[in-house]
Amino acid sequence: MKLDSMKGLRRTNYCSVDYKIGETVTVMGFADRVRDMGNLIFINLRDRTGLVQLAFNDETDRTVFEKAQSVRSEYVLAAVGVVRERESKNPKLRTGNIEIAVSELRILSAAQTTPFEVTNSDKVNDELKLRYRYLDLRNPRLTKNLITRHEIARVTREYFYENGFLEIETPMMMKSTPEGARDYLVPSRVHHGKFYALPQSPQIYKQLLMVAGFDRYIQLARCFRDEDLRADRQPEFTQVDLEMSFVDQEDIQEVIEGYIKTLFKKVLDKDIKLPIERLTFADAMDRFGSDKPDTRFGLEIEDITDKVKDIDFVVFNNAVADGGSVRMINVKNGAATYTRKEIDKLTEHAKGIGAKGLAYIRWADEPNCSFKKFLGEGQLEKLLSDIGAEKGDLILICADKNKVVLPTLGALRLICAKRLDLIPEDVYNFVWITEMPFFEWDEENESWVAMHHPFTMPMEECLEYLDSDPGNVRAKAWDLVLNGTELSSGSMRITDPALQQKMFEALGMSDEEIEAKFGFLVDAYRYASPPHGGMGIGLDRIAMIICKADSLRDVTAFPKVQNASELMSGCPSAVDEKQLEELHIAVTPEEKE
């Protein structure tokens, strides 16, 4: 087929715009659907904005009509014609009331039969779609997602510019420093045996920008983490990274609340109520069993330790004696849905999290209690009254140490809410989680590690616990959570070199290790630093939620799969031996793929 050129043509309109009847327009795009009805041909032309119908009939020039007959799906076309009212209107399309009577048609590129129907790609398996990602991106749903992501980035930049922030780029190749995940390493050709690291975040550099006097920094930063993937995690991602000087925690949160309100209004036309609710980490765990709680529904966890203290049930008694507690969630009207078989599934799920089992009371016609044989006369009736249970309720009870009980019931409340359709759509519940623990215990290495990063400022009243009780040290750190998804983490930073040294030591780092990994930062603080803090907000996760996507893949142009490979290009891949020689790197044969 002889292809046409664009010479002499200039696009006047995108496909899905407002047209005026009688105007002559030039449109360009992909052939979405071709309907050849003999003496009538209709082609839906598609570009990133949507569809418009091209019409050909008996009045069309024969050469143009015959060219239209040769068009197949996904051909790239340019069409010139007059806008007219459409006889058979399509209310589902923005342009459903008009069509373009084509007087000139050019085939700019011909497509062979695609491996799947582009507009129906949602029904195609993921592996095939990712192999031909450039075709899948023509799907209007994914096209819309990426346009929305662009809009999020645009609004983000505009908001922070208007609030006095400077956008400053930080290095993409940096020193490897501990950030909580594995680094992606880049070997140096010049410095044999040495490596750059791709940034897990611009954390240290943005703090140094505060030392340098740039008191409001913003960057849409690309970040890299070599960790196991899941629906809301990719090895490379974009972070709305910011840092502010001469502020406290409330100042930073106020700026972010303004950003969230602006973003959701401009992108979704949704009004977010301010101020955003605040929960301490301890309260969030007690009520929801999670430090990223979904607060769109109830099913809150209740501590019933005192209410069961007189029940002679060894599971409850042992849990309390071991320093734990007995807690429950009341799944209102859950008895009808959750049969014994379904409750057994919940029990297996609880065991998978770490619980030894799950006690329950299912009140259908009569209360059915899994530990009834341990109850004395009238104890079941008293317990039901004490916990406020009613006919139709399902009570799920877990007894163990709090580190087991809380996440177990936290997970079960989500499962039950989904099953009973308790989670409302188009509701955006933000919550600040504050007073995060500074340290968490690493079971594998049997040591305390920083929950956020070692530059986080501890709360002043907790400094006395640094040596004696690290688990009781709370940080000036906070997370922003939306509908059960963590969007952001932030903290105030340590600027006192002596305190920073003490925090490093509390994390078990030697003087030599501190100097090797963070010496340049510690040195910088010796030349004075304004008080500062900041946050990193996951732009990808915001886009995922706004687009109602199930995975970050749906808001990422060219995503990786679970094993961190990219199916379309085939990366990662082997490289030439010459390249390895230049880098003084050898790959052992058994490691080659």
Side-chain angles (χ1 to χ4, degrees):
M1 175 186 293
K2 187 174 183 294
L3 298 177
D4 302 314
S5 76
M6 276 183 53
K7 187 176 181 180
L9 288 187
R10 176 173 292 177
R11 179 162 59 181
T12 62
N13 296 71
Y14 278 92
C15 290
S16 187
V17 297
D18 294 326
Y19 293 91
K20 294 180 181 178
I21 301 296
E23 71 175 335
T24 299
V25 297
T26 301
V27 291
M28 301 178 184
F30 296 91
D32 185 77
R33 184 184 177 199
V34 181
R35 288 173 289 154
D36 189 341
M37 305 162 73
N39 61 338
L40 288 174
I41 298 175
F42 297 107
I43 299 174
N44 282 349
L45 191 70
R46 180 186 72 244
D47 65 16
R48 75 187 199 195
T49 65
L51 301 172
V52 67
Q53 179 168 284
L54 308 181
F56 308 80
N57 56 25
D58 291 338
E59 298 178 2
T60 305
D61 180 90
R62 284 294 92 188
T63 303
V64 173
F65 191 91
E66 289 170 4
K67 185 175 286 188
Q69 286 180 311
S70 70
V71 172
R72 299 291 179 266
S73 293
E74 301 309 318
Y75 276 31
V76 179
L77 309 176
V80 181
V82 176
V83 179
R84 68 187 183 194
E85 192 171 347
R86 186 167 166 172
E87 289 186 11
S88 179
K89 295 179 172 51
N90 184 350
K92 294 181 180 179
L93 288 182
R94 181 181 175 186
T95 59
N97 292 330
I98 62 96
E99 63 186 13
I100 299 172
V102 178
S103 58
E104 182 180 358
L105 179 68
R106 299 191 191 183
I107 299 176
L108 304 178
S109 184
Q112 66 183 38
T113 302
T114 55
F116 52 82
E117 188 180 350
V118 166
T119 54
N120 204 28
S121 65
D122 290 341
K123 298 180 180 179
V124 180
N125 75 74
D126 287 345
E127 185 173 337
L128 183 62
K129 287 191 295 184
L130 289 169
R131 184 179 172 191
Y132 296 94
R133 182 64 169 182
Y134 45 84
L135 294 179
D136 194 27
L137 288 174
R138 296 181 190 176
N139 180 298
R141 180 180 65 84
L142 289 184
T143 300
K144 182 180 178 183
N145 285 356
L146 290 190
I147 292 173
T148 299
R149 181 189 169 108
H150 157 78
E151 183 68 6
I152 292 169
R154 183 188 66 79
V155 172
T156 298
R157 283 193 163 96
E158 288 176 355
Y159 173 82
F160 285 105
Y161 292 170
E162 289 169 1
N163 282 275
F165 285 78
L166 301 175
E167 184 164 13
I168 303 175
E169 292 183 344
T170 52
M172 293 292 282
M173 297 193 299
M174 56 181 286
K175 183 185 181 72
S176 178
T177 57
E179 287 262 2
R182 298 182 189 89
D183 286 329
Y184 279 103
L185 301 176
V186 180
S188 170
R189 178 183 59 82
V190 177
H191 304 281
H192 299 165
K194 295 186 178 180
F195 297 81
Y196 303 99
L198 299 182
Q200 293 187 36
S201 78
Q203 183 63 49
I204 293 178
Y205 285 106
K206 68 179 181 179
Q207 290 186 235
L208 290 171
L209 286 171
M210 298 302 103
V211 175
F214 298 96
D215 61 338
R216 287 197 167 197
Y217 144 90
I218 184 69
Q219 182 181 189
L220 268 62
R222 294 293 285 168
C223 304
F224 307 84
R225 294 185 179 181
D226 185 2
E227 55 189 354
D228 295 334
L229 303 193
R230 57 192 185 204
D232 63 351
R233 182 185 287 169
Q234 281 279 305
E236 48 188 320
F237 56 95
T238 300
Q239 185 167 290
V240 181
D241 200 52
L242 64 113
E243 198 79 4
M244 301 170 65
S245 290
F246 306 110
V247 293
D248 58 22
Q249 174 175 327
E250 288 72 25
D251 295 322
I252 298 171
Q253 290 174 350
E254 184 177 322
V255 167
I256 296 303
E257 288 183 355
Y259 164 61
I260 292 297
K261 188 173 183 67
T262 300
L263 179 67
F264 275 72
K265 185 62 177 177
K266 289 190 174 182
V267 177
L268 279 183
D269 196 27
K270 290 281 186 181
D271 290 309
I272 302 300
K273 184 180 178 181
L274 299 182
I276 292 172
E277 180 186 6
R278 283 158 171 76
L279 282 176
T280 66
F281 174 88
D283 286 343
M285 293 301 298
D286 278 345
R287 291 173 56 187
F288 303 102
S290 172
D291 60 355
K292 43 182 180 293
D294 191 337
T295 60
R296 290 174 294 175
F297 59 94
L299 296 186
E300 293 192 21
I301 298 169
E302 299 178 48
D303 190 339
I304 60 171
T305 304
D306 287 343
K307 294 179 174 65
V308 299
K309 63 183 179 181
D310 295 327
I311 294 176
D312 190 19
F313 182 29
V314 67
V315 173
F316 294 170
N317 298 339
N318 287 351
V320 176
D322 202 26
S325 62
V326 183
R327 304 192 187 221
M328 61 160 247
I329 55 173
N330 184 349
V331 185
K332 303 297 292 183
N333 302 310
T337 300
Y338 280 96
T339 62
R340 173 60 188 272
K341 184 176 181 181
E342 294 291 323
I343 294 173
D344 287 343
K345 291 180 181 178
L346 291 178
T347 302
E348 289 305 310
H349 193 90
K351 290 179 178 178
I353 298 171
K356 299 180 180 69
L358 191 67
Y360 66 87
I361 303 172
R362 179 176 177 266
W363 192 348
D365 296 327
E366 296 291 336
N368 178 16
C369 178
S370 65
F371 51 96
K372 187 175 182 179
K373 66 181 180 180
F374 300 99
L375 300 177
E377 183 74 24
Q379 281 191 311
L380 177 57
E381 291 74 13
K382 183 178 185 305
L383 178 60
L384 291 171
S385 175
D386 288 347
I387 64 178
E390 300 174 318
K391 187 174 182 179
D393 292 349
L394 171 67
I395 311 298
L396 301 176
I397 303 173
C398 188
D400 207 319
K401 291 185 177 179
N402 288 346
K403 67 178 182 180
V404 174
V405 170
L406 295 175
T408 298
L409 292 177
L412 294 183
R413 72 180 287 269
L414 292 175
I415 293 172
C416 294
K418 290 175 183 176
R419 179 67 188 278
L420 297 177
D421 199 22
L422 300 179
I423 305 176
E425 295 184 2
D426 294 322
V427 172
Y428 299 92
N429 275 20
F430 288 88
V431 60
W432 290 110
I433 307 299
T434 63
E435 298 186 26
M436 308 290 287
F438 189 98
F439 298 99
E440 59 183 342
W441 182 252
D442 184 341
E443 296 281 358
E444 184 176 340
N445 296 313
E446 296 187 345
S447 63
W448 292 101
V449 297
M451 180 172 278
H452 278 62
H453 52 69
F455 320 115
T456 301
M457 175 73 78
M459 300 182 76
E460 283 81 359
E461 62 267 30
C462 297
L463 292 176
E464 62 181 291
Y465 303 123
L466 279 176
D467 298 320
S468 60
D469 187 8
N472 201 27
V473 178
R474 287 168 289 128
K476 289 186 178 180
W478 58 88
D479 287 349
L480 180 61
V481 175
L482 169 58
N483 294 353
T485 296
E486 180 192 319
L487 293 183
S488 170
S489 289
S491 71
M492 298 303 297
R493 322 302 191 190
I494 298 171
T495 56
D496 178 357
L499 178 58
Q500 184 66 78
Q501 179 79 12
K502 188 171 183 64
M503 297 310 295
F504 285 145
E505 291 171 355
L507 290 167
M509 299 175 67
S510 65
D511 289 345
E512 293 76 13
E513 188 178 3
I514 296 168
E515 177 62 30
K517 293 180 176 179
F518 304 110
F520 62 100
L521 179 64
V522 175
D523 284 346
Y525 284 146
R526 294 193 177 104
Y527 296 98
S529 169
H532 61 271
M535 297 187 68
I537 307 168
L539 186 143
D540 314 81
R541 291 186 178 180
I542 291 178
M544 183 177 76
I545 291 173
I546 286 179
C547 293
K548 294 183 171 63
D550 295 326
S551 167
L552 290 183
R553 291 182 188 177
D554 291 341
V555 294
T556 304
F558 300 102
K560 306 292 191 295
V561 295
Q562 192 169 4
N563 65 1
S565 65
E566 195 241 282
L567 300 183
M568 184 191 68
S569 68
C571 80
S573 61
V575 298
D576 294 338
E577 290 293 336
K578 184 177 180 181
Q579 291 176 275
L580 294 177
E581 289 173 6
E582 289 175 341
L583 295 169
H584 294 263
I585 291 176
V587 178
T588 56
E590 59 268 24
E591 293 177 338
K592 288 185 177 181
E593 295 187 3

